[in-house]
Amino acid sequence: MGKELQNKPLVKHIYTADPSAHYFNGKIYIYPSHDIPHECEDNDNGDQYSMEDYHVLCMDSVDSPAVDCGEVLHEKNVPWVSHQMWAPDCAYKNGKYYLYFPAKDKNGIFHIGVAVSDKPDRDFVPEESYIADSYSIDPAVFVDDDGRAYMYHGGLWGGQLEKWQTGSFVAGDPDMIPGADGPQGDEVALGPLVAELNDDMISLKAPAQHIAILDENGEPLKAGDEKRRFFEACWMHKYNGKYYLSYSTGTTCYICYAISDSPMGPFTYTGRILEPVIGWTTHHSTVEVDGKWYLFYHDSSLSGGINSQRSVKFCELHHNEDGTIRTINPYDN
Ligand code: FUB
């Protein structure tokens, strides 16, 4: 296989980020965020990520250029959304494609929405409201071999995960309002959320629960362990019967992974998939195509390092014989 397309922007006519790649009907479909240039402030709340719509990209094979299938959903067509259409994912079940997306409601609170289509690359019709009891960002929906579907999601800071620790949303300045800040230092880190979806794929079977990520001694990762603890961008894949939860560490810019025998965890931290990329955020997905695995990720190299103008790239990903994953340096050739 030629590697001409690897580690280069998949498309250059628009900025794309947060790729969720899937192999549907013999083609690779990528569901990214669509970064747009704007005047928003660059801050820890993520105001600079001011996306309005979604495009789907498609590759006939890993050797074929990516084609932009065009806009498939815009915020103006989703009744409950005010702004910030962040990292999406798509899942196939029951003969339909379900596009999951986080966005802020009219009160500025993130929830997870869903739009449904008979096709992977167009005609997505959004539900009137967000998924009941959903909150925070970065949905990744995994359909297991037995047909059960799980939504992994959540993200700190701008993703608002820590604002839900009391069971309801606690707004405001974390320095001023108890409960709006996350765990610190030696306190147990907040894990991502997981919720099983009902068979309709648009509602939760039970409220989401935090996933436990344990260290090599079986102890939960601590909030101060910024090189390993979860920040945002979770993804799930299954390899040789084991469940691989991967995620971004945010402040330290790694994509790490943890392994479990169950899709609900607990997971044991195992290592790094991707070293830091150019730009503050890092976000990825994994997909198997014809017996080989690939990592889709983004960086800000095309924009010269602008955090909110990112480009999706991909490269091959290798599982070692012992089930660990070979760490990728995105700039090694
Ligand atoms: O693209 C907006 C946000 O940046 C995503 O939701 C996060 O995962 C980070 O990539």
Side-chain angles (χ1 to χ4, degrees):
M1 185 194 75
K3 293 194 171 178
E4 294 76 19
L5 300 175
Q6 296 195 22
N7 298 307
K8 299 189 175 62
L10 279 192
V11 294
K12 293 185 176 176
H13 66 293
I14 55 173
Y15 288 113
T16 56
D18 310 325
S20 292
H22 292 277
Y23 193 54
F24 294 142
N25 308 322
K27 293 185 181 188
I28 305 159
Y29 290 92
I30 302 110
Y31 301 85
S33 300
H34 175 201
D35 284 346
I36 47 172
H38 53 69
E39 301 296 320
C40 299
E41 186 190 346
D42 202 319
N43 57 29
D44 284 351
N45 199 37
D47 290 346
Q48 62 275 29
Y49 303 108
S50 175
M51 299 82 103
E52 297 175 0
D53 67 357
Y54 296 110
H55 285 228
V56 175
L57 307 179
C58 181
M59 300 167 75
D60 283 342
S61 74
V62 290
D63 297 317
S64 309
V67 172
D68 179 359
C69 305
E71 182 185 287
V72 298
L73 192 67
H74 193 282
E75 64 184 18
K76 68 176 186 277
N77 300 123
V78 188
W80 63 271
V81 167
S82 64
H83 64 302
Q84 290 189 305
M85 310 274 276
W86 283 13
D89 189 20
C90 188
Y92 174 77
K93 191 174 165 177
N94 306 329
K96 293 194 184 302
Y97 297 86
Y98 298 87
L99 179 65
Y100 298 89
F101 57 93
K104 281 186 177 162
D105 68 11
K106 313 287 184 196
N107 298 314
I109 300 176
F110 268 116
H111 299 280
I112 313 291
V114 57
V116 187
S117 176
D118 293 332
K119 306 183 188 68
D121 58 353
R122 70 198 110 123
D123 301 340
F124 283 97
V125 177
E127 294 294 302
E128 281 290 309
S129 188
Y130 52 80
I131 296 175
D133 300 324
S134 71
Y135 59 94
S136 200
I137 60 165
D138 291 358
V141 172
F142 169 74
V143 182
D144 207 348
D145 302 327
D146 60 5
R148 292 170 74 173
Y150 303 85
M151 184 167 78
Y152 301 85
H153 54 296
L156 300 180
W157 298 1
Q160 303 178 338
L161 184 60
E162 57 274 67
K163 293 183 182 290
W164 288 91
Q165 291 171 95
T166 61
S168 52
F169 187 79
V170 178
D173 181 347
D175 293 335
M176 309 291 292
I177 302 188
D181 204 358
Q184 308 287 325
D186 281 342
E187 294 171 339
V188 173
L190 279 183
L193 298 166
V194 61
E196 187 170 353
L197 288 160
N198 283 316
D199 200 45
D200 63 11
M201 295 293 274
I202 60 170
S203 61
L204 306 184
K205 193 172 265 187
Q209 52 184 268
H210 285 279
I211 292 171
I213 305 177
L214 311 177
D215 67 13
E216 60 282 6
N217 300 315
E219 297 294 325
L221 293 184
K222 305 295 188 297
D225 188 354
E226 294 187 32
K227 291 186 174 171
R228 300 193 294 178
R229 63 93 177 86
F230 164 79
F231 189 89
E232 62 185 2
C234 43
W235 185 257
M236 172 57 58
H237 77 267
K238 196 173 181 181
Y239 179 78
N240 277 351
K242 302 273 189 196
Y243 296 86
Y244 287 67
L245 173 74
S246 45
Y247 55 90
S248 164
T249 59
T251 49
T252 49
C253 299
Y254 299 118
I255 297 291
C256 292
Y257 69 104
I259 298 178
S260 177
D261 290 323
S262 160
M264 305 294 282
F267 289 81
T268 301
Y269 177 90
T270 306
R272 280 183 205 158
I273 294 181
L274 184 66
E275 296 289 354
V277 295
I278 295 169
W280 199 90
T281 67
T282 184
H283 192 127
H284 70 298
S285 61
T286 58
V287 64
E288 185 178 17
V289 180
D290 296 333
K292 288 188 172 183
W293 283 84
Y294 297 89
L295 178 78
F296 283 73
Y297 64 98
H298 71 224
D299 77 2
S300 297
S301 55
L302 183 65
S303 68
I306 299 175
N307 288 332
S308 56
Q309 294 177 17
R310 303 161 288 180
S311 301
V312 170
K313 301 177 168 184
F314 82 106
C315 63
E316 203 169 335
L317 174 139
H318 298 274
H319 295 87
N320 297 313
E321 289 215 345
D322 63 0
T324 58
I325 291 176
R326 202 185 298 168
T327 306
I328 294 167
N329 182 326
Y331 305 107
D332 273 355
N333 279 316

